[in-house]
């Protein structure tokens, strides 16, 4: 009969990831960082920050087109309410969004993309989707452990290195 200490040691060994799984995780994190670097540069190319792009995307797609409140935007972006309110003010100043009163609760403001905001979002979504489609096989390979391990062992990165400008 095994002791509690032996049982815990056995559980730790069983839950320990293999070298192959660790390489797959490392490759996945690397691919994410590459994509985020690409995304940040793409947003900057059209005069936006990543946070503003993410806000436009959340506003446009929230609950299949239902209008989003500032609090709901904060939740979607994982930021505090007051930070979301400041972000919305900057988006309004840039003429990318406008506020409208909630017809059910006049104390709440709902957010709507302007024509300019919709245009900027479409530009960025297009380049992001093109990049994801081009890199699709590299991302999918990350989840096939034999490929992820083989690639890492051979020194093959998930895709091209991030371009720094």
């Amino acid at each position: 009969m095994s002791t509690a200490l032996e049982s815990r040691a056995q559980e730790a060994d069983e839950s320990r990831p293999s070298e192959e799984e660790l390489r797959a995780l490392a490759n996945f994190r690397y691919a994410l960082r590459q994509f985020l670097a690409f995304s940040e540069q793409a947003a900057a190319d059209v005069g936006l920050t990543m946070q503003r792009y993410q806000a436009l995307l959340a506003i446009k797609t929230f609950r299949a087109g239902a209008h989003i409140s500032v609090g709901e935007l904060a939740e979607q972006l994982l930021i505090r309410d007051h930070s979301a309110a400041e972000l919305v003010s900057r988006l309004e100043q840039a003429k990318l969004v406008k506020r409208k009163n909630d017809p059910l609760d006049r104390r709440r403001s709902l957010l709507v993309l302007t024509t300019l905001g919709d245009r900027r979002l479409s530009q960025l979504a297009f380049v992001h989707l093109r990049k994801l489609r081009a890199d699709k096989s590299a991302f999918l390979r990350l989840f096939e452990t034999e490929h992820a391990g083989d690639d890492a062992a051979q020194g093959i990165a998930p895709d091209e290195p991030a371009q720094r400008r």
Side-chain angles (χ1 to χ4, degrees):
M1 182 173 225
S2 65
T3 66
L5 184 58
E6 289 172 334
S7 178
R8 277 188 245 135
Q10 185 178 357
E11 284 177 21
D13 286 342
E14 290 172 3
S15 64
R16 182 171 294 178
S18 69
E19 289 297 316
E20 189 174 324
E21 290 170 321
L22 289 173
R23 280 191 297 272
L25 283 172
N27 286 339
F28 177 67
R29 304 275 311 184
Y30 177 66
L32 283 176
R33 285 190 302 275
Q34 285 185 305
F35 182 75
L36 291 173
F38 162 81
S39 183
E40 188 172 348
Q41 186 60 55
D45 288 347
V46 296
L48 292 177
T49 64
M50 279 285 293
Q51 190 176 51
R52 289 182 185 188
Y53 165 59
Q54 291 171 7
L56 294 178
L57 192 57
I59 292 166
K60 177 75 172 188
T61 62
F62 185 73
R63 293 191 186 146
H67 297 302
I68 188 171
S69 70
V70 174
E72 291 164 331
L73 180 63
E75 185 178 313
Q76 290 291 306
L77 298 180
L78 303 175
I79 60 177
R80 297 181 192 261
D81 287 353
H82 69 275
S83 297
E86 291 171 19
L87 174 60
V88 168
S89 292
R90 290 192 302 270
L91 290 169
E92 275 185 306
Q93 288 172 354
K95 307 223 182 299
L96 298 171
V97 301
K98 61 183 176 180
R99 295 178 200 241
K100 72 176 206 168
N101 287 331
D102 184 339
L104 302 176
D105 182 354
R106 295 207 174 269
R107 295 169 297 173
R108 259 175 41 125
S109 292
L110 300 177
L111 307 174
V112 182
L113 291 185
T114 63
T115 303
L116 177 60
D118 199 46
R119 204 171 343 165
R120 289 279 164 78
L121 176 59
S122 292
Q123 287 175 301
L124 282 168
F126 174 78
V127 297
H128 280 83
L129 289 169
R130 184 176 62 199
K131 175 75 169 161
L132 285 171
R133 287 179 183 126
D135 295 348
K136 179 181 177 183
S137 64
F139 276 102
L140 292 176
R141 272 198 327 266
L142 294 171
F143 298 100
E144 298 169 0
T145 55
E146 71 258 8
H147 285 46
D150 293 346
D151 289 351
Q154 296 172 8
I156 300 171
D159 203 6
E160 71 212 38
Q163 299 293 319
R164 297 245 181 228
R165 293 181 190 176

